């Protein structure tokens, strides 16, 4: 009886194994860099509860999706304390801290009607600070915006030649004085962050914090294998090494995905130009944990609180 039982069990196991072997193997993706540049929804950790409660699963219902018609309210700023002058300008929405240092050295900033050229000068709450003769004050409400920048748009707050700037796409969302974090050249499209929070901008823009950006570059011709390896192993440009965190071919051999955290001027274009390739099209498709999901070209929205917290955590 036991012999028949084990014989039957053995036959059953063999049938199961044969059935599993009949499953077709999963096809490998023909787009090896798809995970870098494909539009994916922003992923955030689910809410954690105490041990007595079951873990809440992320919801996929439409009701839980981010509503752009009812954007989150701007966050209130902290009470004003003594502050370094360059930080004061950044929090006033004039520019980034790096640019503020240039304005201060050029004598364009006064404190109590006296020109101050030291960016480390401590501004007291009762001081009157002017930039180019106009009184400025740190923002009392912080805002954080994400823009999918189109072509032929300048990444600056003002343009003397009357060209369109990134601020032309933000007027309907905030009246605060904001500025872009980092730069995208006129012909580069994709994700750009804008804010009036100087500390937040400093952390995201500075390469030491290693916040990664993902670019999709379309070249005038296929990228040769030897050039691919040269980029992967770090090119030496005129201003130093151009280290990339990841690189892979896209759906065509002339479409390349590049992930990096360095933020030097036109760095992606210069990497390919150094090897005699022309970049026909360049699109920033990822910024930290953010993607272009549900954000068409030329559209702008406020970051959610979750997105802001995650970016600060990455920095």
């Amino acid at each position: 009886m036991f012999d028949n039982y084990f014989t039957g069990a053995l036959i059953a196991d063999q049938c199961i194994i044969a059935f599993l072997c009949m499953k077709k193997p999963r096809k490998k993706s023909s787009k090896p860099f798809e995970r870098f540049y494909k539009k994916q929804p922003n992923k955030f950790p689910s809410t954690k509860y105490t041990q007595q409660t079951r873990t809440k699963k992320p919801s996929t219902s439409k009701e839980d999706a981010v509503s752009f018609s009812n954007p989150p309210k701007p966050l209130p700023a902290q009470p004003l304390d003594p502050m370094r002058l360059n930080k004061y300008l950044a929090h006033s929405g004039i520019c980034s801290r790096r640019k503020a240092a240039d304005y201060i050295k050029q004598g364009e900033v006064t404190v109590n009607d006296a020109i101050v050229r030291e960016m480390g000068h401590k501004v007291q709450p009762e001081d009157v600070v002017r930039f180019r003769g106009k009184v400025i004050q740190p923002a009392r409400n912080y805002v954080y915006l994400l823009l999918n920048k189109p072509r032929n748009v300048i990444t600056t707050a003002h343009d003397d030649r009357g060209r369109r700037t990134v601020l032309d796409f933000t007027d309907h969302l905030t009246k605060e004085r904001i500025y872009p974090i980092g730069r995208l050249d006129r012909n580069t499209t994709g994700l750009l962050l804008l804010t009036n929070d100087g500390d937040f901008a400093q952390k995201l823009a500075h390469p030491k914090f290693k916040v990664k950006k993902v670019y999709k570059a379309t070249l005038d011709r296929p990228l040769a294998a030897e050039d691919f390896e040269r980029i992967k192993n770090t090119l030496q440009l005129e201003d130093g090494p151009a280290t990339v965190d990841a690189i892979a071919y896209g759906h065509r051999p002339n479409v390349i995905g590049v992930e990096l955290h360095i933020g030097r001027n036109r760095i992606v274009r210069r990497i390919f130009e150094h090897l005699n390739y022309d970049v026909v099209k360049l699109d920033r498709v990822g910024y930290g944990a953010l993607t272009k999901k549900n954000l068409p070209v030329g559209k702008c929205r406020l970051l959610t609180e979750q997105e802001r917290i995650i970016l600060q955590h990455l920095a």
Side-chain angles (χ1 to χ4, degrees):
M1 181 176 67
F2 288 102
D3 291 340
N4 293 336
Y5 173 80
F6 287 117
T7 302
L10 180 60
I11 293 174
D13 290 341
Q14 292 174 344
C15 291
I16 294 173
I17 294 172
F19 174 76
L20 294 175
C21 292
M22 290 173 62
K23 288 188 67 177
K24 294 182 180 180
R26 181 179 295 178
K27 293 182 179 181
K28 293 184 178 180
S29 172
S30 60
K31 303 176 181 180
F33 207 80
E34 187 175 16
R35 67 188 182 92
F36 289 105
Y37 67 78
K38 185 178 179 181
K39 294 181 181 179
Q40 297 286 350
N42 297 324
K43 298 179 181 179
F44 306 107
S46 57
T47 306
K48 294 184 179 180
Y49 297 93
T50 59
Q51 293 183 356
Q52 290 77 14
T53 309
R54 295 179 62 184
T55 303
K56 182 180 178 181
K57 295 182 179 180
S59 174
T60 57
S61 64
K62 294 182 179 179
E63 291 77 6
D64 292 336
V66 176
S67 174
F68 299 123
S69 59
N70 296 310
K73 295 181 180 180
L75 297 176
Q78 298 297 324
L80 184 61
D81 293 321
M83 187 182 300
R84 287 169 60 95
L85 186 54
N86 63 329
K87 183 177 179 180
Y88 192 98
L89 263 67
H91 279 275
S92 299
I94 301 299
C95 56
S96 65
R97 284 200 212 177
R98 287 186 178 182
K99 189 64 178 178
D102 295 334
Y103 289 142
I104 294 169
K105 291 177 182 178
Q106 293 167 9
E108 299 191 57
V109 182
T110 64
V111 179
N112 300 327
D113 296 326
I115 295 177
V116 177
R117 299 182 185 273
E118 298 177 1
M119 61 182 177
H121 176 85
K122 288 287 186 178
V123 179
Q124 303 301 319
E126 65 275 10
D127 289 342
V128 177
V129 181
R130 286 184 170 86
F131 174 68
R132 295 177 177 173
K134 185 177 180 179
V135 177
I136 60 173
Q137 291 181 338
R140 306 312 299 167
N141 293 300
Y142 291 153
V143 291
Y144 309 87
L145 301 178
L146 180 66
L147 169 67
N148 189 352
K149 175 188 167 301
R151 290 171 62 95
N152 297 319
V153 174
I154 309 300
T155 307
T156 184
H158 306 283
D159 183 63
D160 297 335
R161 298 168 58 182
R163 294 173 293 182
R164 297 179 75 189
T165 73
V166 292
L167 294 190
D168 293 334
F169 300 87
T170 65
D171 292 341
H172 65 292
L173 290 177
T174 180
K175 298 302 179 184
E176 299 287 344
R177 299 184 63 178
I178 59 175
Y179 56 89
I181 301 177
R183 300 181 66 87
L184 290 176
D185 62 57
R186 183 170 61 89
N187 291 322
T188 299
T189 61
L191 298 178
L192 182 71
L193 285 166
L194 302 99
T195 187
N196 56 355
D197 185 342
D199 289 336
F200 182 80
Q202 175 75 5
K203 289 182 179 180
L204 289 185
H206 202 287
K208 75 176 182 180
F209 294 102
K210 298 184 178 180
V211 177
K212 295 182 179 180
K213 295 95 174 175
V214 181
Y215 294 85
K216 179 182 176 182
T218 303
L219 309 180
D220 61 333
R221 56 192 173 91
L223 181 65
E226 57 270 24
D227 292 333
F228 179 95
E229 291 298 323
R230 291 179 65 185
I231 297 173
K232 183 179 179 181
N233 296 324
T234 304
L235 287 175
Q236 291 293 329
L237 303 183
E238 62 276 5
D239 57 346
T243 304
V244 300
D245 301 306
I247 180 173
Y249 288 100
H251 56 285
R252 296 194 304 271
N254 68 319
V255 176
I256 309 298
V258 180
E259 180 180 283
L260 42 72
H261 65 271
I262 55 177
R264 303 206 298 272
N265 185 38
R266 300 181 70 254
I267 185 63
V268 178
R269 291 184 183 274
R270 290 195 292 120
I271 286 174
F272 292 108
E273 289 171 357
H274 184 78
L275 300 173
N276 298 319
Y277 293 88
D278 288 332
V279 179
V280 178
K281 185 177 179 181
L282 185 61
D283 189 25
R284 184 193 279 172
V285 297
Y287 196 119
L290 301 174
T291 70
K292 300 171 69 173
K293 180 69 175 180
N294 296 330
L295 190 63
V297 176
K299 297 298 182 181
C300 185
R301 67 172 176 84
L302 288 166
L303 293 185
T304 66
E305 185 175 359
Q306 282 182 316
E307 290 171 333
R308 180 184 59 81
I309 292 173
I310 287 176
L311 283 177
Q312 288 179 330
H313 175 74
L314 290 175

